Amino acid sequence: MATTSPDRIVSLDLIRGFAVLGIFSVNIIGMSFMQGVYFQPILQGFDGLGDKVMYLANLILVDGKLRALFSMLFGASMLLVVDRAVAAGKAGWRVHYPRIFWLLVIGLAHYYILWWGDILSHYAMIGALAYLWWKRSVKVLFIWSAILLFIAYIAMPVSQAYGQYQQQQQQEAEAAEEAAAEAEAAAEATDGDAAATADPDAVVEAEPERRGPPPEVFEQAKAKHQTPMTHLQAQLSNNPFQPFMVSVFLLPETLGLMLLGMGLYRSGFLTGEESHATYRKWAIWGFGALALYSAAVAAWVVSGNYDFMYAGMARNALTPWTRALMAMGYAAILILWSRGGMNWLSTRIAAAGRMAFTNYLGMTLIMTPIMFGFGFGLFGELTRGTAWLYFVPAMWLAMLLFSKWWLDRYRYGPLEWVWRSLSRWQVQPMRKTASVAS
């Protein structure tokens, strides 16, 4: 039986809400530290047991998996909007592409002005392509999804491994040059006495064990985040094409996930129409078995002392193929949960899903003044574990409480209303005719 209300598919809202909440568990790292820390934990803020626990928990349960779930839900929601537009006698593309255009504008503003980790512009660009499949059958959607995900999960590890090898070679060369310069400076400072004791090769050999970026690199990153204007200038100067390059690089995976979501929506999987046994199997094998596999990969990373190579291999080669399957496992668990009846928590998670656009951007709007120089300036000052502990539970609670409260009074979330009004070139009605007390 589909979990629906008169104008909502509750299962989609619940799954989307879970995804947007979970994504903040990893996004907080990208907001708190240098960009590279998001991918390589030992670069910064990785000192204690709590830091390691949070890294491993995200690696096993969140990283890539909930982005996959969010991508699938984007495809399903896109298909839902287009289908409803066509049923109302409108051309699907006339509804879809204005939405995509404004999503791209908002996403690029998010990237250039506030935070490098924007995903909205990426979804807009890939969503523009996904529309080409909206009339396709479930079978065709699944075939194309499988082809694209196969390409992504075979090509990605190879390209990542090559890029990581190049990066390691560059780092070793830079370390050698830095060590030689330090040895030369020491020799000159002591009039040659230090030259007899300095061993440049030993310095170079010890360099890979460094647990943090060079001070000047961190200061450059911190200066970039002093104000939205300095962030804009830095992005335009250093990474002006990053949103577009990311979309090219991630196109096979994201398009494959969107098509998978479209197929799962059309087949009834995401709307709760499959059998209880089907969802139970996906919960056990899609989530449970692959979570155990991911835990084994995490143990391997621990055995390698969280080294760059181990962390990079885990994220880019050993776990990507689990993302779509674990995302389906998560969806199955949430649908099984909703079948027992919506309770206080699930109702509020679903409300957070209805306001996913507002909640996603709200994370940045709240966290950037806290982390960056125009606010409390905590950028790089915390550890991975403390950043998570201080902000993630509080943000989750805020989203759960605020989303339900708002939607009891208004038709759409604040930014959903803006997006809808821009897409339709007309201010949409906002307040409900009769407010309901929360």
Side-chain angles (χ1 to χ4, degrees):
M1 179 178 179
T3 51
T4 61
S5 67
D7 61 341
R8 305 293 308 182
I9 299 177
V10 178
S11 59
L12 294 182
D13 290 335
L14 180 63
I15 297 167
R16 189 185 302 107
F18 178 81
V20 77
L21 287 165
I23 283 172
F24 186 58
S25 183
V26 290
N27 281 359
I28 185 63
I29 306 305
M31 295 174 178
S32 304
F33 303 100
M34 297 167 51
Q35 184 170 339
V37 179
Y38 190 89
F39 309 102
Q40 298 287 357
I42 64 174
L43 275 177
Q44 195 178 19
F46 201 69
D47 304 322
L49 177 61
D51 307 320
K52 296 175 175 61
V53 168
M54 291 318 308
Y55 165 74
L56 295 172
N58 278 333
L59 176 63
I60 296 168
L61 299 173
V62 181
D63 193 17
K65 287 84 171 177
L66 294 191
R67 179 171 60 83
L69 188 60
F70 208 57
S71 301
M72 288 161 51
L73 265 293
F74 187 93
S77 299
M78 183 201 79
L79 196 57
L80 174 63
V81 169
V82 172
D83 283 349
R84 286 181 173 176
V86 172
K90 302 175 183 177
W93 69 270
R94 288 185 179 274
V95 173
H96 177 68
Y97 282 107
R99 286 168 52 84
I100 288 297
F101 170 77
W102 286 111
L103 184 65
L104 178 62
V105 170
I106 295 170
L108 291 176
H110 182 217
Y111 167 78
Y112 287 113
I113 298 174
L114 292 175
W115 184 49
W116 65 267
D118 171 71
I119 198 70
L120 301 177
S121 57
H122 173 59
Y123 280 172
M125 286 182 268
I126 305 303
L129 292 175
Y131 177 80
L132 301 177
W133 279 266
W134 83 269
K135 290 184 178 180
R136 302 302 181 186
S137 67
V138 171
K139 180 179 179 180
V140 171
L141 289 169
F142 284 161
I143 290 174
W144 272 101
S145 173
I147 293 171
L148 289 163
L149 292 178
F150 178 79
I151 293 171
Y153 297 147
I154 294 300
M156 183 186 300
V158 173
S159 61
Q160 286 284 342
Y162 178 69
Q164 193 166 349
Y165 171 77
Q166 286 187 316
Q167 183 181 16
Q168 186 174 8
Q169 293 293 107
Q170 182 179 357
Q171 288 174 343
E172 290 178 359
E174 291 174 352
E177 292 177 3
E178 182 180 343
E182 289 176 356
E184 184 178 349
E188 292 176 355
T190 58
D191 197 26
D193 291 340
T197 58
D199 185 354
D201 292 334
V203 177
V204 173
E205 193 173 308
E207 194 67 28
E209 297 298 322
R210 175 189 290 175
R211 294 282 171 145
E216 64 273 12
V217 174
F218 172 64
E219 290 303 322
Q220 290 172 2
K222 195 169 185 178
K224 167 184 171 181
H225 294 97
Q226 288 303 305
T227 68
M229 185 55 66
T230 59
H231 187 276
L232 173 62
Q233 292 171 345
Q235 297 300 77
L236 291 176
S237 299
N238 303 323
N239 302 295
F241 303 112
Q242 179 173 312
F244 308 97
M245 297 305 297
V246 166
S247 290
V248 171
F249 180 73
L250 293 181
L251 187 151
E253 181 185 22
T254 304
L255 182 57
L257 290 167
M258 287 184 182
L259 297 183
L260 176 60
M262 293 163 67
L264 292 173
Y265 167 74
R266 278 266 165 85
S267 70
F269 184 93
L270 290 177
T271 55
E273 297 173 51
E274 294 283 357
S275 68
H276 196 83
T278 296
Y279 291 119
R280 188 168 60 248
K281 288 177 182 177
W282 272 105
I284 293 171
W285 297 106
F287 174 78
L290 292 181
L292 290 176
Y293 166 80
S294 298
V297 173
W300 178 73
V301 174
V302 174
S303 73
N305 198 26
Y306 306 91
D307 184 73
F308 289 102
M309 187 62 69
Y310 283 78
M313 285 288 292
R315 188 180 192 278
N316 300 319
L318 299 178
T319 60
W321 68 272
T322 69
R323 294 170 186 170
L325 299 174
M326 283 192 71
M328 291 181 65
Y330 272 123
I333 291 170
L334 292 164
I335 291 170
L336 289 173
W337 181 27
S338 70
R339 284 185 169 182
M342 299 293 284
N343 56 29
W344 185 94
L345 181 57
S346 59
T347 298
R348 281 157 179 77
I349 293 176
R354 287 182 62 185
M355 284 178 47
F357 191 44
T358 293
N359 285 321
Y360 173 77
L361 287 176
M363 298 174 196
T364 305
L365 294 172
I366 292 172
M367 292 308 304
T368 49
I370 292 174
M371 292 298 175
F372 298 165
F374 58 92
F376 294 95
L378 295 181
F379 181 80
E381 299 298 327
L382 303 173
T383 67
R384 178 180 291 260
T386 54
W388 194 98
L389 186 62
Y390 289 170
F391 299 110
V392 173
M395 187 69 75
W396 282 351
L397 183 60
M399 284 190 277
L400 292 174
L401 295 178
F402 176 71
S403 298
K404 175 69 165 57
W405 178 89
W406 181 274
L407 290 173
D408 281 343
R409 292 159 175 79
Y410 302 97
R411 297 172 184 266
Y412 320 106
L415 294 180
E416 282 79 5
W417 174 79
V418 171
W419 186 20
R420 179 179 285 247
S421 296
L422 288 170
S423 300
R424 298 189 177 187
W425 295 101
Q426 183 179 7
V427 176
Q428 299 297 296
M430 182 65 155
R431 185 179 289 275
K432 289 183 175 180
T433 54
S435 294
V436 180
S438 59

